[in-house]
Amino acid sequence: MTATQDRPAAEIGKDRRRKEDQRLITGRTRWTDNITLPGMLHLAMVRSPFAHANITSVDTEAAKASPNVVAVLSGKDFGEELGACINAWPITPDQKTPVHSPMPAGRVAFAGEIVAVVVARSAAEARDAAELVDVEYDELPAVIGIKKALEDQVLAHPDLGTNKSALWVFDSGEAGTGTDAEAAITEARANGIVIEREYRQQRLIPAFMEPRSVVVDPTGEQITMWSATQIPHILRFALAATTGVPESKIRVIAPDVGGGFGGKLQVTPEEWVAWAVARRLAKPVKYTETRSESLMAAHHGRDQVQTLTLAADKDGKVTGLKVHLDADLGSYVAIVGGGVPVLGAFMFNAIYKFPAYRFECQTVLTNTTFTDAYRGAGRPEATYAIERLMDELAAEVGVDPLEIRERNWITHEEFPFTTVAGLEYDTGNYEAATAKAKESFGYDALRAEQKERRERGDRVQLGIGVSTFTEMCGLAPSRVLGSLDYGAGGWEHASVRMTPLGKVEVVTGASAHGQGHETAFSQIVADRLGVPFEDVEVLHGDTQVAPRGLDTYGSRSLVVGGEALVKAVDKVIDKAKHLAAHLLEASEDDLEYKGGRFTVAGTDQGVAIQELATAAFAAHNYPEDMEPSLDADATYDPVNFNYPHGTHLCAMEVDTETGAVKMRKYTCCDDIGTIINPLIVAGQVHGGLVQGIAQALWEEAVHDEAGTLVSGSFVDYLLPTAADTISFDVVHTDDPSICTTNTLGTKGVGEAGTIASTPAVVNAVVDAVRHLGINDIQMPCTPERVWRAIQGSRAGGATDTPPDAMPHFQEGALNQDEGAGQ
Amino acid sequence: MIPVKFDYLAPTSVEEALSALGEHGDDAKILAGGQSLLPVLRMRLNAPEVVIDLGGIASLRGIRDDGDAIVIGAMTTHHDVRDHALVKEHALLISKAAAEVADSQIRHRGTFGGALAHADPAGDLGAPALALGAQFVIAGPGGTRTVEASDFFVDLFETAIGEDEILTEVRVPKHTGWGAHYEKFVRVAHQWPIVAVAATVKGSIDEARVGLTNMGSTPLRATATEQALAGASATEDGVRAAAELAAEGTNPPSDLNGAADYRQHLARVLTGRAVLKAAGA
Ligand SMILES: Cc1cc2nc3c(=O)[nH]c(=O)nc-3n(C[C@H](O)[C@H](O)[C@H](O)COP(=O)(O)OP(=O)(O)OC[C@H]3O[C@@H](n4cnc5c(N)ncnc54)[C@H](O)[C@@H]3O)c2cc1C
């Protein structure tokens, strides 16, 4: 649209306070749990205390006799109308996918699985009666931990005959995107450097603020489900596909949703059970989980063992990388469960020019809570592995970790660059981001202080960690998803409606749950359409208001949904121009569009977009060849992912006496292309950083040998608060690398902080004690683990184990806790 | 989560509370600040039929001077204990420890007596109370009795308070002019201590009292360290040598935050640090 290009961008780039925040912060809004319908009944779930067991009987008599109980139902009370929880991404044609019933009648496969549901007039009465349901189990041996699962001695699902679900392989030699990684490793063993490591991605819990909640109303022609979900559209699709109710009879509403972080990118057993009960009883029902249930039964994230081999020449130029992942799916292959590690497959080569690359991912089933997307989904794991390895390579070569990266990274002149994983990075400038981060961080001064403390033998040692990350986001080109056997596309949809009095309703298929879409999208429309920011209303999260959409995850809303919006706005302007020309009795070619107004060039004649909206509504006078409406829709399918990047630098202090770690300074310089709202970006970066730092230092979901979640409350699952973090130094490059594959030039930022920060922190902790002979500390780097590493090390000198002789799975190796990767 | 249904009583005097307790016995639970009791009820780990709220009994709140001791009412909040001038002057260690309990919201609700009656071995107030030789005033059907700190803590979540009794106040002998420090080791700010050390010293150093938190099923005193410190000078080497004895006889738990041997190591290191800070060294 040339018409809009000469307008100054008044809104884009402005620090707008988020228009949704007042209602979100004060709670004066609709959350699922505060929806109350006439005659609504309440559900309480009866959950298995065992990780693996046959259900031998379910005695519901006492529960049914409890006050105000309407029904008590278990799996055997339902047939096919109960539906199934689907896996939308079978990563290989021969993937082993256990049947996932929302409420199994025969066998439970993790502790916390639903075995019965109590329906009562109040939530308290349902809860009371749930304790009276007497379920008898025949306990089966449970398999917990990746390494045990790989042995196939105990099976998570005996009928499958194995715990191994799928093996997904990418080989640059075979794909023609690079050379053979094995050959590079062989060569490096003879004449170069080989770094071999096993890293553990611990299991994490998304721990969104609002627990999951669902209301189902079967009254009337359509069945309505309100759910605290990230994915109302996918949810409707899955309900229709698995319960036999046509899509046109289903309305799904995600009202305001209190966070998700991937944890609400799921079709959940709780939703399916609520759906089936509401239909069975023909009454509205509500279920809201407790925090304990949420921690135990909402999907978990990460949980991989990464076996890594990096080959380089003697100068530290990487010649090949081989990655083998073993990824714990938990008890079922959740909606995109198997695909999460595969999303990382394209990112292990990160910002570097590796000539050879091989990636294998073995997914395994265990009797634990099922795993799926968690902020970053696959890319944090990849970034962690490669950024830790690059620090190890730097130590081996004996150069600064930034120097080793520079020897390997893609220089800014080399874009667009096709990577060894086959992706085309459009733009980037790693040199600029690194230079700016270094300066803001005070890199040289901190290195000098580190040296001084080492020499002095200070009790508190200083370490500096580097993470120069990139990621692929803006999920996703539909054809690429198709080639990966993903069950849906990656497009997004937008509608722009001009109301009769000249306001603008924007409908987006993205489904915000705290990100600030309403503000950012209003800014985009205000600029492009030339209307006041306040006049734009953004509607979303209801399949009847926004019938087309693929929801919010994978840093996609702005870069995919925003582009759909731009295209819809442009169509509105085109229509308006046609009407304006008619009303002004001028040629379209003579019209200029500026500040929301068409003017006839060289005259003072003009008409505002609001007047045109009224004119289209009245429809008293409009061209023969147009319908009396300015409204427009657009569906945008991205042509590529986009590739934000950044340099993150972290300084950590380590108390060598207690093992306690403390953050001293954190600087990040992210290059995310055009920034629509710097305040929202800062919020995303800050929150993202804390989540990534939390993986490095605090969070870990632990199941014991029986499969009971030990970290089952916030007393044991350590979430940080503002009191645990420092003030971050967040900067951006002066001359950002504008994305070339969307009109606004934006790149995703929702996951950047989480992806980048984890390795920066662990690299800093390791760097603080590397001179003591330590080259790894398992996450989370608890004081105890740090202390034990120091205890186990021999003081003085660098690592004396030749890296090429460091075997995987070394018995009793440093920091490989007994529990690690079990 | 929703607790099991219970009746709620709000007595306005200790006598009234005691008679309610006498009437309902086993089926009743006392409610102070609710910061430990309510999570227990909501997770359905306990299901009393009657909850007796002490919040309406004015006489249980407040801090007063009583000659050679200060007296802290059981229902005084952590926040008020921390900031009270009498506490700061005569029992600085308690003020310092109260400042470290949980977060500000919880300190405004949780009470001194509730925390001590709850007797969580990871609670922050037991070790200072023990170190300062506090006396616990307990009211029951037969009148009032006083229990020494060393007899008050019986086991994990178990104290000398009988089922028909109420802790009304705690007498803390004055330690006027003693230096004090509470060294709490946590991974995140709002956490119960993995290990903590409560140290208070007279002069530098004439006498020392050292209490340990979460090093056994009850708060403990590091008596060997106390003896080694008496008459020692507050130098880094001297204090650290005495602190080496701090873990003697302790039996700390092992959990996700640390195994027992690590906790014993922490107790030694933190004792050294706490004593040095208490002595102003
Ligand atoms: C998130 C969180 C973090 C916390 N972190 C810490 C921490 O870091 N350090 C720490 O020390 N504590 C911590 N606490 C606990 C807090 O200090 C509580 O205030 C304290 O443990 C209990 O005090 P209360 O007044 O709330 O008692 P309540 O919870 O009301 O009662 C606790 C128990 O004592 C009994 N009881 C109470 N008063 C009396 C009485 N006068 N006579 C007889 N029995 C009585 C009750 O019946 C109950 O069994 C934390 C609590 C929470 C919720």
Side-chain angles (χ1 to χ4, degrees):
Chain A
M1 276 306 297
T2 49
T4 58
Q5 273 168 7
D6 50 351
R7 261 179 23 75
E11 284 293 339
I12 290 179
K14 193 166 166 181
D15 260 338
R16 274 274 182 198
R17 296 273 174 101
R18 306 198 324 173
K19 47 162 87 169
E20 50 271 71
D21 274 353
Q22 186 175 9
R23 70 169 203 271
L24 294 180
I25 290 170
T26 59
R28 294 186 69 83
T29 186
R30 281 276 167 261
W31 311 101
T32 305
D33 187 52
N34 66 19
I35 288 166
T36 298
L37 302 173
M40 187 173 76
L41 301 172
H42 297 262
L43 309 185
M45 304 298 174
V46 179
R47 294 175 184 275
S48 168
F50 300 113
H52 198 190
N54 283 321
I55 302 164
T56 54
S57 71
V58 182
D59 180 351
T60 59
E61 286 316 306
K64 277 182 178 150
S66 193
N68 282 323
V69 169
V70 175
V72 183
L73 300 160
S74 67
K76 65 177 172 18
D77 297 315
F78 289 97
E80 293 205 331
E81 78 275 20
L82 189 56
C85 297
I86 56 165
N87 168 238
W89 191 353
I91 56 172
T92 59
D94 61 351
Q95 172 179 291
K96 296 259 189 314
T97 312
V99 173
H100 187 185
S101 167
M103 182 162 64
R107 185 174 57 89
V108 290
F110 74 98
E113 185 151 30
I114 301 168
V115 293
V117 55
V118 175
V119 191
R121 299 215 182 279
S122 73
E125 287 159 336
R127 179 42 51 209
D128 286 342
E131 297 195 346
L132 302 174
V133 177
D134 188 9
V135 185
E136 284 191 13
Y137 299 91
D138 240 352
E139 230 188 307
L140 297 167
V143 58
I144 312 298
I146 291 169
K147 288 181 184 174
K148 290 258 169 59
L150 286 168
E151 290 168 8
D152 267 346
Q153 300 283 326
V154 178
L155 298 182
H157 295 278
D159 50 316
L160 295 180
T162 176
N163 294 319
K164 299 191 180 94
S165 176
L167 176 68
W168 194 92
V169 179
F170 173 86
D171 189 294
S172 66
E174 287 160 20
T177 52
T179 51
D180 179 26
E182 289 294 354
I185 293 164
T186 309
E187 163 62 20
R189 278 195 208 283
N191 299 311
I193 299 168
V194 177
I195 311 262
E196 296 184 272
R197 293 288 187 276
E198 179 186 298
Y199 293 138
R200 169 96 176 116
Q201 292 286 330
Q202 79 269 34
R203 186 178 273 246
L204 300 174
I205 303 181
F208 30 75
M209 195 183 290
E210 178 207 18
R212 296 173 306 158
S213 180
V214 57
V215 171
V216 182
D217 183 7
T219 319
E221 194 50 39
Q222 288 197 316
I223 309 177
T224 303
M225 175 184 281
W226 288 261
S227 182
T229 181
Q230 291 175 232
I231 52 165
H233 296 93
I234 295 173
L235 178 51
R236 181 170 83 146
F237 169 85
L239 279 172
T242 71
T243 69
V245 180
E247 277 157 296
S248 53
K249 299 280 186 200
I250 304 173
R251 176 182 187 183
V252 175
I253 302 173
D256 276 329
V257 175
F261 310 115
K264 291 175 182 165
L265 197 191
Q266 194 59 262
V267 291
T268 69
E270 290 80 2
E271 287 163 338
W272 261 240
V273 169
W275 173 265
V277 171
R279 289 183 70 207
R280 168 69 59 89
L281 302 178
K283 292 265 191 190
V285 302
K286 171 154 67 182
Y287 169 73
T288 300
E289 69 183 354
T290 66
R291 181 60 70 181
S292 309
E293 287 179 295
S294 190
L295 293 173
M296 181 168 60
H299 78 239
H300 294 173
R302 310 277 194 297
D303 210 342
Q304 297 180 356
V305 175
Q306 309 177 308
T307 307
L308 307 158
T309 313
L310 185 78
D313 68 17
K314 290 214 162 65
D315 297 327
K317 211 161 159 26
V318 175
T319 54
L321 172 66
K322 193 172 95 178
V323 174
H324 180 90
L325 303 184
D326 293 299
D328 193 344
L329 297 167
S331 45
Y332 297 101
V333 196
I335 188 161
V336 291
V340 167
V342 171
L343 275 178
F346 306 94
M347 282 292 121
F348 279 85
N349 51 296
I351 64 168
Y352 308 112
K353 294 182 284 189
F354 296 167
Y357 173 52
R358 182 177 169 84
F359 172 93
E360 303 161 358
C361 172
Q362 175 70 60
T363 55
V364 301
L365 293 154
T366 60
N367 295 113
T368 56
T369 309
F370 48 88
T371 63
D372 208 318
Y374 175 53
R375 201 170 187 175
R379 294 152 290 160
E381 297 92 313
T383 304
Y384 181 83
I386 190 59
E387 290 304 296
R388 285 282 297 111
L389 285 179
M390 292 309 271
D391 263 35
E392 296 302 305
L393 179 61
E396 190 53 35
V397 177
V399 298
D400 187 281
L402 285 171
E403 166 69 26
I404 208 79
R405 286 169 171 80
E406 195 172 341
R407 288 182 193 178
N408 286 286
W409 72 34
I410 304 158
T411 64
H412 71 277
E413 300 94 350
E414 291 172 299
F415 289 93
F417 184 89
T418 302
T419 73
V420 72
L423 295 178
E424 189 186 280
Y425 294 178
D426 59 341
T427 54
N429 190 336
Y430 310 137
E431 299 94 317
T434 301
K436 181 140 185 193
K438 232 179 129 175
E439 190 199 323
S440 191
F441 185 66
Y443 191 82
D444 297 335
L446 283 164
R447 279 282 180 219
E449 182 185 332
Q450 175 184 41
K451 182 157 178 277
E452 186 271 326
R453 286 199 190 191
R454 267 190 198 177
E455 281 163 3
R456 189 154 49 88
D458 194 1
R459 178 170 66 74
V460 179
Q461 288 291 317
L462 184 67
I464 295 170
V466 175
S467 168
T468 48
F469 89 104
T470 189
E471 60 139 331
M472 52 189 265
C473 64
L475 303 184
S478 298
R479 289 190 192 87
V480 174
L481 293 178
S483 73
L484 293 171
D485 299 313
Y486 179 66
W491 48 264
E492 195 44 83
H493 187 80
S495 312
V496 175
R497 304 196 294 242
M498 298 299 305
T499 64
L501 295 176
K503 306 293 181 197
V504 187
E505 283 177 345
V506 168
V507 180
T508 172
S511 190
H513 41 283
Q515 290 87 348
H517 293 173
E518 289 168 37
T519 303
F521 285 16
S522 296
Q523 288 179 274
I524 293 169
V525 172
D527 267 3
R528 203 156 183 96
L529 197 56
V531 298
F533 171 81
E534 294 74 16
D535 284 359
V536 185
E537 201 64 44
V538 179
L539 308 174
H540 61 85
D542 178 343
T543 59
Q544 219 152 70
V545 172
R548 282 172 61 72
L550 283 168
D551 309 319
T552 287
Y553 43 84
S555 304
R556 70 188 302 274
S557 296
L558 176 61
V559 293
V560 187
E563 184 68 11
L565 183 53
V566 164
K567 293 202 173 338
V569 168
D570 287 355
K571 287 185 189 173
V572 170
I573 296 172
D574 278 344
K575 286 190 185 179
K577 192 177 195 179
H578 196 51
L579 179 59
H582 174 80
L583 293 178
L584 295 168
E585 295 176 357
S587 154
E588 275 186 55
D589 295 340
D590 295 336
L591 291 186
E592 277 176 4
Y593 190 55
K594 205 172 174 183
R597 207 178 154 76
F598 288 98
T599 48
V600 182
T603 73
D604 58 1
Q605 269 194 309
V607 59
I609 186 83
Q610 291 85 354
E611 296 172 86
L612 292 167
T614 309
F617 168 73
H620 297 163
N621 181 11
Y622 62 98
E624 293 275 323
D625 60 352
M626 102 179 257
E627 295 171 5
S629 165
L630 301 182
D631 300 353
D633 281 15
T635 302
Y636 172 68
D637 192 12
V639 294
N640 193 352
F641 297 93
N642 64 80
Y643 307 95
H645 70 85
T647 297
H648 288 225
L649 299 171
C650 173
M652 295 292 294
E653 291 179 345
V654 174
D655 181 335
T656 54
E657 233 171 27
T658 60
V661 299
K662 191 168 151 223
M663 190 169 285
R664 163 81 173 273
K665 171 123 198 177
Y666 196 102
T667 297
C668 58
C669 179
D670 287 330
D671 184 343
I672 54 166
T674 308
I675 294 177
I676 305 296
N677 182 325
L679 200 60
I680 292 181
V681 165
Q684 288 292 329
V685 172
H686 280 246
L689 289 178
V690 176
Q691 250 168 338
I693 294 166
Q695 175 173 13
L697 299 181
W698 297 302
E699 294 182 31
E700 180 167 28
V702 181
H703 288 95
D704 67 14
E705 276 180 18
T708 306
L709 183 67
V710 181
S711 50
S713 82
F714 286 148
V715 173
D716 293 307
Y717 189 81
L718 292 190
L719 282 187
T721 66
D724 301 301
T725 54
I726 61 170
S727 195
F728 303 124
D729 176 26
V730 176
V731 296
H732 299 279
T733 44
D734 303 319
D735 189 12
S737 318
I738 303 301
C739 181
T740 59
T741 55
N742 64 53
T743 313
L744 296 167
T746 58
K747 302 185 181 183
V749 73
E751 296 161 300
T754 312
I755 294 170
S757 60
T758 311
V761 174
V762 177
N763 277 338
V765 172
V766 172
D767 187 53
V769 292
R770 191 181 287 280
H771 64 294
L772 303 176
I774 294 165
N775 66 23
D776 189 28
I777 294 168
Q778 191 187 312
M779 293 191 291
C781 300
T782 63
E784 184 181 23
R785 284 191 178 133
V786 175
W787 178 73
R788 288 201 192 280
I790 295 169
Q791 291 303 105
S793 67
R794 275 167 289 157
T799 162
D800 57 1
T801 316
D804 57 350
M806 187 169 286
H808 300 312
F809 304 118
Q810 188 181 3
E811 278 302 313
L814 212 54
N815 301 317
Q816 299 296 341
D817 278 9
E818 245 178 89
Q822 24 152 270
Chain B
M1 189 146 167
I2 305 161
V4 175
K5 204 167 175 175
F6 55 78
D7 282 336
Y8 171 84
L9 300 179
T12 52
S13 69
V14 173
E15 295 68 42
E16 218 184 303
L18 284 173
S19 79
L21 204 50
E23 185 183 333
H24 299 284
D26 257 11
D27 301 330
K29 246 341 209 169
I30 284 173
L31 172 69
Q35 297 305 293
S36 295
L37 184 64
L38 287 191
V40 164
L41 299 190
R42 288 165 71 91
M43 293 172 99
R44 297 192 169 220
L45 299 171
N46 200 330
E49 282 171 22
V50 180
V51 167
I52 303 169
D53 184 357
L54 302 185
I57 307 176
S59 65
L60 293 179
R61 225 174 268 274
I63 298 169
R64 63 175 203 275
D65 194 323
D66 189 27
D68 58 354
I70 60 167
V71 179
I72 304 176
M75 289 298 289
T76 315
T77 63
H78 302 315
H79 173 82
D80 290 347
V81 168
R82 180 192 72 178
D83 288 348
H84 203 283
L86 284 173
V87 180
K88 283 190 173 156
E89 191 182 348
H90 304 297
L92 183 60
L93 183 58
I94 286 182
S95 169
K96 296 242 171 164
E100 296 291 323
V101 172
D103 57 37
S104 182
Q105 280 160 304
I106 290 164
R107 288 194 295 270
H108 276 85
R109 288 220 158 254
T111 67
F112 192 64
L116 292 166
H118 190 57
D120 185 332
D124 285 307
L125 297 167
L130 183 68
L132 294 176
Q135 295 171 322
F136 293 77
V137 182
I138 299 171
T144 292
R145 63 191 180 105
T146 300
V147 175
E148 296 295 328
S150 49
D151 298 324
F152 180 77
F153 298 104
V154 177
D155 204 344
L156 223 63
F157 302 106
E158 199 183 325
T159 68
I161 307 172
E163 273 186 355
D164 51 358
E165 293 182 315
I166 290 172
L167 173 67
T168 55
E169 54 192 32
V170 180
R171 294 174 55 86
V172 185
K174 283 185 182 170
H175 286 68
T176 318
W178 286 51
H181 185 77
Y182 189 69
E183 183 82 14
K184 177 169 173 173
F185 193 82
V186 287
R187 290 173 56 205
V188 293
H190 60 276
Q191 210 182 359
W192 272 268
I194 296 169
V195 173
V197 177
T200 187
V201 301
K202 186 175 169 191
S204 66
I205 295 173
D206 305 329
E207 260 187 88
R209 300 276 179 274
V210 178
L212 305 177
T213 305
N214 212 15
M215 289 298 292
S217 55
T218 64
L220 298 173
R221 266 198 43 194
T223 43
T225 297
E226 290 178 358
Q227 281 159 18
L229 285 171
S233 63
T235 60
E236 170 114 23
D237 288 348
V239 168
R240 283 179 173 255
E244 278 303 308
L245 308 171
E248 272 181 17
T250 59
N251 184 21
S254 287
D255 58 28
L256 295 181
N257 287 313
D261 66 325
Y262 174 61
R263 281 193 159 89
Q264 290 186 320
H265 166 75
L266 282 181
R268 290 187 283 265
V269 173
L270 303 179
T271 297
R273 293 182 186 180
V275 171
L276 284 167
K277 284 188 192 152

